[in-house]
Amino acid sequence: MLTRFRVEGEGERSSMAENDDLGIERTASIQNPTKPSSSIGARVRATHDDDEDEVRVSLRPVLPHSSSDLIHQEAARALSVMDSFHQPWLTGVELLDDANRNKHVLPTGLEGIDVLLGGGLREGQLIEIAGPSSSGKTQVCLHSASCIADKGSVMFLDTCNSFSPNRIACMVNQFSGPLFKEAKERRLERIMSSILCQPIYDIFELLDTLHQLESTLKHTVKTGGYKICLLIIDSISSLIAPILGGKSPQGRLLMVSAGIVLKKLAHEFNLAVLVTNHMVGGEGGIIKPALGESWKNIPHVRLVVSRDQQSNVFTATVLKHTMRASGRTAKFVIHN
């Protein structure tokens, strides 16, 4: 069992502590006793010995996220990740066999989305949902989490306080139909306990979390532990956009590294990865997904969603798909 903490200075975000069965560290911002107005960063890792009923906590100092040293460090690690992730040459037969073997489709519960995707989110793939503000991106994520968590574990990395347990509870109750109250409560508890939510505040914390998740998944494969079916990041663009721009290529390098790690997790551990992206203005005033040319080739699948504010009907359009034609559209409704 791993106990994780986030402790911040007076006047900052409220303190937080929680148990995490995945064994993932978090950053703690701990007030410096010698300088009350300042804080120092540390990685907090606690391990628990059931036999001795003892908790051991270790602190590993980290540099502030604004430090150029940290950027150089993460850029170096990004290059290492990119160098290590070289898939072998495969024949067409081997690629077809890999596509058909253990690559299940996870229905989102949204008929229009599932039709466009050929049944739902495919394990082994990185899927991007892009759209302007209030277009339904987060609702697609929450709906997917509530539907898929009924069959397996879901990890939700929340970058902009978008995770809403009340919204998921409403969706689950709609799925449950005419069940008795006790049966509905048991189903809701089972689904909610299968969704692991963690706030992420910047690209450095995201990369740390993904590397720790990789280690944890390797361990669960060896021990036969529970399987994560879906990893959600809502939104990935809010973490990447601040590090892009300027003459330095390091921000782009970190972005590509994050994309490669996500695809590596999806491929090696047979899970679906769902990320959201915002829209920016393009040529002629036409909006397009953010993060530029370097990012657009990373996801296996890219959908753009929009919403008719009057009818509350959503439209999804395929921008890119490994097995479907681009430009296809479908409408769907998310009931409040």
Side-chain angles (χ1 to χ4, degrees), residues 100-176:
N100 294 330
R101 185 182 68 250
N102 297 325
K103 295 294 188 292
H104 300 115
V105 174
L106 308 174
T108 66
L110 299 169
E111 185 176 357
I113 295 283
D114 290 340
V115 168
L116 282 183
L117 296 179
L121 308 174
R122 184 171 291 273
E123 293 180 340
Q125 289 192 341
L126 170 59
I127 304 102
E128 177 193 79
I129 303 286
S133 177
S134 301
S135 60
K137 303 185 297 295
T138 294
Q139 294 192 67
V140 171
C141 290
L142 295 175
H143 209 282
S144 300
S146 59
C147 187
I148 294 170
D150 200 18
K151 305 171 183 65
S153 296
V154 175
M155 186 169 188
F156 196 113
L157 302 184
D158 185 3
T159 74
C160 47
N161 296 318
S162 62
F163 184 79
S164 172
N166 291 333
R167 187 83 179 94
I168 288 183
C170 291
M171 293 175 178
V172 172
N173 287 332
Q174 290 172 359
F175 300 157
S176 300

Side-chain angles (χ1 to χ4, degrees), residues 287-301:
I287 61 173
K288 62 180 181 179
L291 304 183
E293 296 296 314
S294 298
W295 173 261
K296 79 173 188 178
N297 294 318
I298 293 178
H300 297 94
V301 176

Side-chain angles (χ1 to χ4, degrees), residues 113 115-118 120-122 124-130 259-260 263 273-275 277 289 292-305 316-329:
I113 295 283
V115 168
L116 282 183
L117 296 179
L121 308 174
R122 184 171 291 273
Q125 289 192 341
L126 170 59
I127 304 102
E128 177 193 79
I129 303 286
I260 289 177
K263 293 179 76 172
V273 179
L274 178 63
V275 302
N277 190 2
E293 296 296 314
S294 298
W295 173 261
K296 79 173 188 178
N297 294 318
I298 293 178
H300 297 94
V301 176
R302 304 187 87 189
L303 298 183
V304 171
V305 294
T317 303
V318 177
L319 290 186
K320 175 186 175 184
H321 199 294
T322 55
M323 294 180 290
R324 301 261 163 174
S326 300
R328 297 183 64 196
T329 64

Side-chain angles (χ1 to χ4, degrees), residues 217-237:
L217 291 174
K218 287 180 180 178
H219 177 70
T220 58
V221 168
K222 292 180 180 179
T223 59
Y226 62 91
K227 179 183 185 300
I228 292 181
C229 296
L230 175 64
L231 170 64
I232 297 173
I233 305 177
D234 185 28
S235 79
I236 196 165
S237 54

Side-chain angles (χ1 to χ4, degrees), residues 193-213:
S193 64
S194 296
I195 301 176
L196 311 170
C197 181
Q198 176 172 328
I200 299 291
Y201 297 96
D202 56 45
I203 186 66
F204 306 105
E205 192 171 4
L206 173 65
L207 291 171
D208 279 347
T209 300
L210 294 180
H211 288 301
Q212 293 158 24
L213 176 60

